[in-house]
Amino acid sequence: MKILVPIKRVPDPYAKIRLLPDGSGIDINGLAFEINPFDEIAIEEAVRTKEAGKATEIVVISIGRDECLEQLRKALAIGADRAILLTHSGAIDPLDTAKLLKAVFEKERPDVVLMGKQGIDGDYNQTGQMLAGLLGIPQATFASKIEWLAGEAKVEREVDAGIETIIVKVPAVITTDLRLNEPRYVPLPGIIKARSKPLDVSPAIEVGPAKIQVLRMDKPPSRPPGRKVSSVAELVTALRDEAKVL
């Protein structure tokens, strides 16, 4: 089984984000970048699947500038076999990303596309679904457990009412949720071994200007200070008469 894992370069989720003075974007000076956490979970699941003898090759792909090579090399160090970078310098939206991934899918012919459910920067949660729609193949989103069967995948997915279990035939697109696994630390031997693994860099096909444009970014308003009450009666009065929630 061949697994394709798309990954995205995003700001470190633990870093403090600063906005540019004009609100046109974030200030990236001194800002650390990492693999999108949901995508790292997808890489981990792919590696575990290969370690269990149920996958033969793991290919990771990223779309963006040359800086994405850092994240691709980390994915190789975790256990991926091969990496692809489609160079693209401008903004790109979920639909165009799905179109580029569709072209890669048609060339690589993987059995499964395993990817994070969303990027923590844009929070769109659309690319996996759009890719499955463009390819006309089954999809299983928000996976919290995956069991590989003969020509199928049994997926437990997190929904509002609890856990839903479905079976999809492969090829399929599966998007990962937080509780699927806990990614491993990258070992030093893996980092050294990754240097010799194939990493192909090629320009992305022309997709035109992004359909979604960010007009401005603003910091969220400061939270008002807390308030202590001396009794339950005072709390009820405050919730009813002031906050208007009762």
Side-chain angles (χ1 to χ4, degrees), residues 102-167:
K102 176 177 181 288
V104 174
F105 180 96
E106 292 171 343
K107 180 181 179 181
E108 295 287 337
R109 290 296 172 185
D111 297 284
V112 176
V113 179
L114 196 58
M115 59 192 299
K117 69 174 184 178
Q118 66 191 71
I120 63 167
D121 50 358
D123 275 343
Y124 290 121
N125 185 15
Q126 296 175 346
T127 305
Q129 294 89 325
M130 289 178 172
L131 177 59
L134 291 173
L135 291 169
I137 61 176
Q139 61 177 288
T141 55
F142 317 134
S144 59
K145 183 178 180 181
I146 304 173
E147 181 180 352
W148 304 104
L149 309 173
E152 297 176 331
K154 182 179 179 182
V155 180
E156 292 183 5
R157 55 188 303 268
E158 299 188 4
V159 296
D160 290 341
I163 301 295
E164 177 184 61
T165 303
I166 63 174
I167 293 179

Side-chain angles (χ1 to χ4, degrees), residues 45-58:
E45 191 65 21
V47 173
R48 292 187 185 188
T49 302
K50 186 178 180 183
E51 290 173 343
K54 295 185 178 181
T56 55
E57 185 181 23
I58 302 168

